[in-house]
DNA sequence: ATGCGTTGCACAATCGTTTGCGGTTGACAA
DNA sequence: TTGTCAACCGCAAACGATTGTGCAACGCAT
């Protein structure tokens, strides 16, 4: 029950394998009549080229590595959809390489990509990866790579990220504009660059509005459970915020029910806003306005960029840093204009 | 900047490539001294075998295809984690092959697996795949395959699924036991086998308790938005249910906020329960008791089975159908014992 | 010294394609 | 008739590894 190879087809037709190979790719050297005949027989014999052989010969695998810190239900599924959308029609396949938030595993994954000459790599770093380590990893890689979302500072590689600072700033300003004056912030892992940038945006918005930045009004939560805790700490009778910025879906899913549980009324007592991929905010009542963090869009962008890197001369390309902008989606119900008037 | 091949190493040592190959895998034919020397030089020269060449030679790719209907935020991320957990240590890599709920794309994906002789395939079918089509697809595949979660009836292939009927039945019984008498059900796509089985379990529980099955008390929703609609239809003043079974996380995220929006009080007016992977139920307030649909567990099981299929003689294995059982996780707050007493 | 069995390595074929080059036809112009 | 040039196709060498077989050298018993 062996697969039919190009030789089988050649033998059947009494021609040379090379002829079959050329005929199938419409090489002009092969006569038109024979070309058609070859194709006919090939499909009849259900011939399909052996990918491993092809890859060995052309030194290219048409596989793209996706190195992500962890395969969570947030963000990455959308990213993958976006990536697939552009990769699939071009014949590339995606290989999952989750790092489980471990830098060593991440290094392993990258090594895998290098050793197996994948066509390229899409990477989002773990929260524990040191900038210097990330730099050297990618430098040693010597293959097309684009970093997305969880990037590191000053990386001389192509990247696609959200305009984090701006998004956070806009979100915070939105709270301010709807009358909030004591604004709290719930952030993710503090070592993440995106956390730092979103925090910066948050602070900027406050200071632009001449509101004080109060250290005790912000909290960092590594996951939903921690967000729950943070909320319980924040929502103390006297000092509770009248507006809350949450930097991600995961934070929301931990914090939102916690807010409700403390008896705080949304939006009467406290307005909320978040940065989100878009699904989660609609799954709460009242619904949550958000700055759209378009996962699929980022995935598409990153994949596009990677493809063009693969197709181009690696030596001449200079790194491009793309910022995807976030648009405000107002769901109205978690914010009340009247507050504070 | 070429990679160092086995020949380079061989030349450097003045030996034959075959010797290097054997030395590196501790073949007894090679003298101990030389063996060590080869290894030393190999690592020194940063030699790493070319995977494509190896694969071509051994006719095995160490790649496993993951064919899923769609990469959603529900369930599949956990499944992938489970799969990775067992695949990665064994040197297999996962290739993503989302079908986007399209049977033709699914067929393409499966064809891809066949043509590129992946080591094996893990598949969950789209909601539109006809049982006969699925059967013929897998039959033509001629390679190790295990079906998980979204299976089809009477498939002569290995499968790992949740004990859907039993889980739904237990969930419903739980509602009954806590005093509910007018129990509604929110289900997913009706063409899915798992939907049918969960519906069956739901009905069984009702009839065991001598409660009538009312057609108008159940609804099918393809996604969260539809679930939202269904709830609005169901929660009419007079005929509203006093207990609601929801068959999945996605349904919950659409339905739960909808219930709240209708003003219905949980659990005072209506108890709820669902089948879930575990994260979502904790992200609502009040929290939702659920039957645990262990995605990671199913992923691990499926991967294990696939590995053993790959390692075993394909002709002698007889299909095994594994049922993962669901355990009840009581979160207490969405159900009140006192109701109806 | 002869025969035999190990040990330790080299040779060459092989996996299935692709591709540079060379060679055979035939037409057609000189 | 000879030379030229296309048009077509075959030959064989790659790509980088693995593996069955062959064979020299050596030890040891006879």
């Amino acid at each position: 029950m062996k697969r039919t190879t190009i030789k089988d087809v050649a033998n059947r037709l009494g021609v040379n394998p090379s002829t079959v190979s050329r005929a199938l790719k419409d090489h002009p050297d092969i006569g038109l009549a024979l070309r058609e005949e070859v194709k006919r027989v090939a499909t009849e014999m259900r011939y399909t080229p052996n990918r491993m052989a092809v890859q060995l010969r052309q030194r290219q695998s048409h596989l793209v590595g996706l190195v992500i810190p962890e395969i969570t239900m947030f963000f990455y599924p959308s990213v993958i959809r976006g990536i697939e959308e552009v990769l699939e029609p071009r014949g590339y396949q995606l290989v999952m390489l989750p790092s489980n938030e471990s830098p060593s595993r991440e290094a392993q994954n990258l090594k895998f990509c290098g050793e197996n000459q994948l066509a390229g790599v899409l990477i989002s770093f773990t929260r524990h990866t040191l900038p210097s380590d990330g730099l050297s990893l990618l430098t040693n890689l010597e293959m097309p790579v684009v970093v997305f979302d969880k990037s590191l500072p000053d990386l001389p590689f192509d990247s696609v990220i959200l305009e984090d600072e701006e998004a956070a700033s806009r979100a915070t300003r939105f709270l301010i504009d709807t009358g909030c004056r004591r604004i709290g912030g719930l952030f993710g892992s503090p070592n993440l660059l995106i956390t730092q940038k979103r925090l910066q945006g948050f602070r900027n918005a406050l200071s632009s509005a001449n509101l004080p930045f109060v250290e005790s009004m912000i909290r960092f939560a590594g996951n939903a459970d921690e967000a729950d805790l943070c909320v319980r700490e924040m929502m103390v009778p006297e000092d509770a915020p009248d507006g809350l910025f949450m930097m991600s879906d995961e934070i929301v899913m931990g914090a939102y029910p916690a807010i409700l549980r403390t008896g705080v009324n949304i939006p009467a007592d406290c307005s909320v806003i978040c940065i989100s991929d878009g699904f989660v905010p609609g799954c709460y009542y009242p619904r949550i306005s958000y700055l759209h963090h378009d996962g699929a869009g980022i995935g598409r962008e990153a994949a596009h960029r990677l493809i063009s890197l693969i197709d181009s001369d690696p030596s001449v390309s200079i790194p491009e840093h793309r910022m995807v902008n976030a648009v405000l989606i107002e769901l109205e119900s978690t914010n009340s204009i009247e507050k504070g008037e």
Side-chain angles (χ1 to χ4, degrees), chain A:
Chain A
M1 204 50 136
K2 253 182 78 258
R3 292 173 44 122
T4 75
T5 75
I6 202 171
K7 281 183 197 164
D8 300 330
V9 179
N11 288 337
R12 175 94 114 73
L13 284 159
V15 300
N16 194 279
S18 61
T19 303
V20 175
S21 172
R22 290 195 171 94
L24 290 178
K25 21 180 77 65
D26 279 320
H27 189 107
D29 264 14
I30 307 300
L32 218 54
L34 181 54
R35 247 189 263 179
E36 295 312 317
E37 181 63 3
V38 167
K39 288 182 192 171
R40 211 182 48 70
V41 173
T43 56
E44 183 191 315
M45 295 180 74
R46 299 169 156 279
Y47 166 71
T48 106
N50 182 320
R51 173 172 267 238
M52 302 176 195
V54 176
Q55 289 176 352
L56 173 59
R57 184 60 224 234
Q58 353 232 249
R59 296 134 165 276
Q60 228 270 48
S61 72
H62 272 222
L63 252 36
V64 167
L66 179 66
V67 182
I68 58 180
E70 202 167 3
I71 160 95
T72 65
M73 67 183 291
F74 304 106
F75 187 61
Y76 292 112
S78 316
V79 173
I80 296 178
R81 271 202 303 276
I83 296 174
E84 278 289 340
E85 209 174 290
V86 351
L87 248 41
E88 192 269 345
R90 291 178 172 75
Y92 287 89
Q93 302 298 334
L94 205 57
V95 179
M96 293 292 300
L97 296 166
S99 307
N100 297 336
E101 291 291 3
S102 144
S104 72
R105 176 80 186 275
E106 186 172 69
Q108 246 179 265
N109 286 336
L110 251 10
K111 196 164 140 248
F112 173 89
C113 296
E115 293 185 359
N116 301 285
Q117 47 256 312
L118 301 204
V121 177
L122 296 168
I123 182 171
S124 193
F125 287 100
T126 80
R127 71 176 83 169
H128 305 117
T129 308
L130 302 176
S132 55
D133 292 348
L135 175 60
S136 67
L137 280 176
L138 295 194
T139 308
N140 287 332
L141 203 53
E142 293 180 337
M143 74 172 38
V145 47
V146 4
V147 183
F148 69 95
D149 199 55
K150 307 260 170 63
S151 183
L152 297 170
D154 308 320
L155 236 36
F157 294 94
D158 285 77
S159 69
V160 178
I161 56 175
L162 185 73
E163 43 165 18
D164 292 289
E165 194 171 323
E166 176 63 16
S169 171
R170 296 240 301 277
T172 310
R173 203 164 345 136
F174 180 74
L175 288 178
I176 297 172
D177 291 345
T178 57
C180 301
R181 288 298 172 266
R182 292 182 42 74
I183 300 181
L186 242 40
F187 297 86
S189 272
N191 5 14
L192 247 32
L193 189 58
I194 61 170
T195 300
Q196 289 162 24
K197 296 211 283 190
R198 292 177 191 188
L199 177 56
Q200 189 56 50
F202 177 79
R203 300 183 64 146
N204 291 349
L206 289 186
S207 73
S208 303
N210 289 319
L211 289 176
F213 172 76
V214 188
E215 200 73 51
S216 67
M217 294 292 281
I218 68 162
R219 290 282 193 293
F220 299 93
N223 55 45
D225 283 338
E226 289 181 29
D228 180 302
L229 269 176
C230 292
V231 167
R232 274 186 278 179
E233 290 171 14
M234 283 176 100
M235 293 300 176
V236 289
E238 298 305 305
D239 299 320
D242 61 357
L244 186 59
F245 165 78
M246 296 175 281
M247 84 162 234
S248 73
D249 278 329
E250 186 165 9
I251 300 285
V252 168
M253 293 193 75
Y256 202 100
I259 298 175
L260 262 26
R261 203 162 44 234
T262 62
V264 168
N265 214 317
I266 298 174
D269 302 333
C270 181
S271 295
V272 298
I273 194 166
C274 65
I275 296 180
S276 161
D277 202 2
F279 181 76
V280 170
C283 295
Y284 280 101
Y285 179 73
R287 302 198 296 172
I288 310 167
S289 294
Y290 63 97
L291 269 288
H292 190 196
H293 182 195
D294 183 10
I298 289 182
R300 276 193 301 269
E301 273 298 314
H304 270 132
R305 187 63 193 145
L306 187 65
I307 295 280
S308 67
L309 279 181
I310 293 175
D311 292 342
S312 74
D313 182 354
S315 56
V316 298
S317 82
I318 101 162
E320 220 172 89
H321 299 283
R322 216 162 289 191
M323 299 266 256
V324 175
N325 58 337
V327 325
L328 173 67
I329 311 289
E330 278 190 63
L331 260 29
E332 300 282 359
S333 43
T334 50
N335 308 83
S336 50
I337 295 289
E338 305 81 13
K339 187 187 311 175
E341 301 198 343

